[in-house]
Amino acid sequence: MQDLLLSYYGDDLTGSTDVMEALELGGVPTVLFMRQPDAAMLAQFAHCRAVGLAGTSRSETPQWMDTHLKSAFVWLKTLNAALCHYKVCSTFDSSPTIGSIGRAIEIGRSVFAQDSVPLLVGAPQLKRYTAFGHLFAAYRDKYFRIDRHPVMSRHPTTPMDESDLLIHLSRQTELTSGLVDLATLQSASRSKAFDRLLAEGTDIVLVDVDSLETQALAGKEIWRARTPGGSFVVGSSGIEYALLAEWVSNGTVRAEPKFSPPGAADRIAVVSGSCSPTTERQIRHALTDGFDGIEVDPVELISAASGDAIARATAAGRASLEAGRSVVLYTALGPAADRGGEIDRQEGARHKLGRGLGELLRALTIEQKLQRVVIAGGDTSSHALGEMGVDALTVRMPLPASPGSPLCVAHSRIEPIDGLEVALKGGQVGTDRYFSAIRDGLSS
């Protein structure tokens, strides 16, 4: 691959497609691989200027990262992209034991032999903002400091109880950190301040972003500071939006992307492992708009009787689809139905849950010859899509009303899966009408 602008590792699948959408909207052809591709697979996408690798590190331990994340970074480094991005969720939810962003930065610094790592989290396109190191996020058209956010402060696995991101990181790593705050970023001394932190060997350099204007300034600094052979950066898809502003400004990217509407599907299948209130509203809306709902017991799905649970759910889904109706199969209907306490008693249970939903969706897709499906839940999606036999994804159509969750095209060696249109939705993403909009061809 020639003239590769960016390689990246997404800490979950929905976050990985978020990056791919941002790049494609900016005119950068991008492919997202589910696992490290062989030379033949990589050659199929030689036209792409960005390459992603979908991961699961958001739900993994530091010990897992030491093995799997390190090998992923080593492979990405061989691509010789100008920048390599470790993509984290824009809500920054993580902990010392699960999804440790601090540990990921340590590994990246080691692989890339890099003293200072730029960190950017704010993404106005997703209604995420950082101001003087503190993270703010929207929820239902209101804005909250992340430690007071109605959802993320109560996340079942990695609740955000600290809005100062550098303090939050200090619980995960002993690396030093510094901040290019809003006032400095917008001053004449912006570049000097940024360079000074790098020259001093500050391990993590957080750059504030609270607007499109400061985002563009941040992108200018990150691109300017890159080193020959590729630099390692960390952050949300705000990294891509910031870089795109700079690439357009300096003429690196000129293409204007064009996407043709996909049209309506006669019926779709949705599987959901999300406990989010956002997903709950989407499921409840779908049930009033032509979808049948099928509840799948998550505890049974991870038990020795998982085969029976999948068989029953497949039969119920089959009945709905054969009747010409779309179907949503879900393991929870909102936070009140969260059975995480029971699930987490079994090691690796959440991964098994995702694989079970993937097995279920694969069966319905192949049997019913479905052309379009949806997987809801950031932690669920990675494992579910892997179970379906998908090798890579490309963007079919961005969803303007739900940035960060595009409609994708699956590339697979399994013929009925190859060409399948797939939408992958994180828990907090999308309007109430999300599932209906996917079925109806993204109409409002």
Side-chain angles (χ1 to χ4, degrees), residues 282 285 289 430-440 442-444:
Q282 291 160 344
H285 183 279
D289 193 25
T431 65
D432 290 357
R433 202 177 172 278
Y434 181 87
F435 298 138
S436 298
I438 295 291
R439 178 198 60 195
D440 298 340
L442 317 184
S443 60
S444 61

Side-chain angles (χ1 to χ4, degrees), residues 8-23:
Y8 72 94
Y9 178 100
D11 68 351
D12 71 3
L13 185 53
T14 56
S16 301
T17 58
D18 176 16
V19 168
M20 183 168 59
E21 177 185 53
L23 290 166

